[in-house]
Amino acid sequence: MSRSPKPPLGLQPLDKHAIGARIRQIRLRCGLRQRELALRLGTSQSAVHKYEHGVIPEARRLLALASLGQTTVEWILTGRHAEHGATEQERPDAELLVLAQRLRSFRQVGAARVREALSLLEAAAAAAPEPGTLPALAPAVGPTLQAAAAIVARVLETLLDQAQERLGSD
């Protein structure tokens, strides 16, 4: 007897008890009692009790819960966000998602260009004229280019580290 392949995430059966637990988590994080959440959702306290014990709310109430919990309907239903698969309740803000996309693009294309630019700066610093061979500008050129290369390298490292921390990846 062979098993059928596991369906994609969106087609898997919903775990109603886990959905109820996530709804309860939203309510508790908002500091609300069941009665208070019911008022916000336009329903009864007994309905909220049922939601927290596995009854799936209507679409409009799911949307209201997602908004209240600063999350997505996908997270309430599956425990994951559709955009990026994260399991945390809070949905990343749009700015963070744009940053993630830019970071992915940067890693593929920009990192090579920045490394090339750093190599050029380092080569320029090494090729700078010796002090005294050119007018007054020459003594500062080499050290200035070396300092610029070091600053660019450190800024790049810092930006990548901060982006990775914000994304919680790698």
Side-chain angles (χ1 to χ4, degrees), residues 132-151:
T133 58
L134 288 178
L137 178 64
V141 172
T144 301
L145 287 173
Q146 288 174 338
I151 290 169

Side-chain angles (χ1 to χ4, degrees), residues 4 15 20 57 77 81 105 108 115 129 132-133 141 144:
S4 59
D15 181 346
L77 295 176
H81 294 284
S105 298
Q108 296 167 1
R115 282 190 201 96
T133 58
V141 172
T144 301

Side-chain angles (χ1 to χ4, degrees), residues 37-120:
L37 180 58
L39 286 171
R40 290 195 181 193
L41 298 178
T43 191
S44 65
Q45 180 178 349
S46 65
V48 170
H49 176 81
K50 288 177 185 177
Y51 299 158
E52 291 184 5
H53 288 86
V55 173
I56 299 175
E58 305 82 29
R60 66 187 170 118
R61 294 204 171 97
L62 281 171
L63 291 168
L65 280 165
S67 177
L68 183 67
Q70 297 178 339
T71 190
T72 61
V73 171
E74 294 90 0
W75 181 83
I76 294 171
L77 295 176
T78 67
R80 295 191 164 287
H81 294 284
E83 302 108 17
H84 48 76
T87 57
E88 296 83 21
Q89 176 182 330
E90 286 81 19
R91 177 184 185 161
D93 61 12
E95 180 182 320
L96 184 58
L97 293 174
V98 169
L99 175 63
Q101 183 60 39
R102 287 182 180 163
L103 182 59
R104 283 188 194 111
S105 298
F106 175 78
R107 282 185 178 162
Q108 296 167 1
V109 177
R113 289 184 183 154
V114 169
R115 282 190 201 96
E116 184 180 337
L118 284 172
S119 295
L120 290 172

Side-chain angles (χ1 to χ4, degrees), residues 9-10 12-17 19 56 77-78:
L9 182 62
Q12 293 176 4
L14 296 174
D15 181 346
K16 293 180 180 181
H17 293 290
I19 293 169
I56 299 175
L77 295 176
T78 67

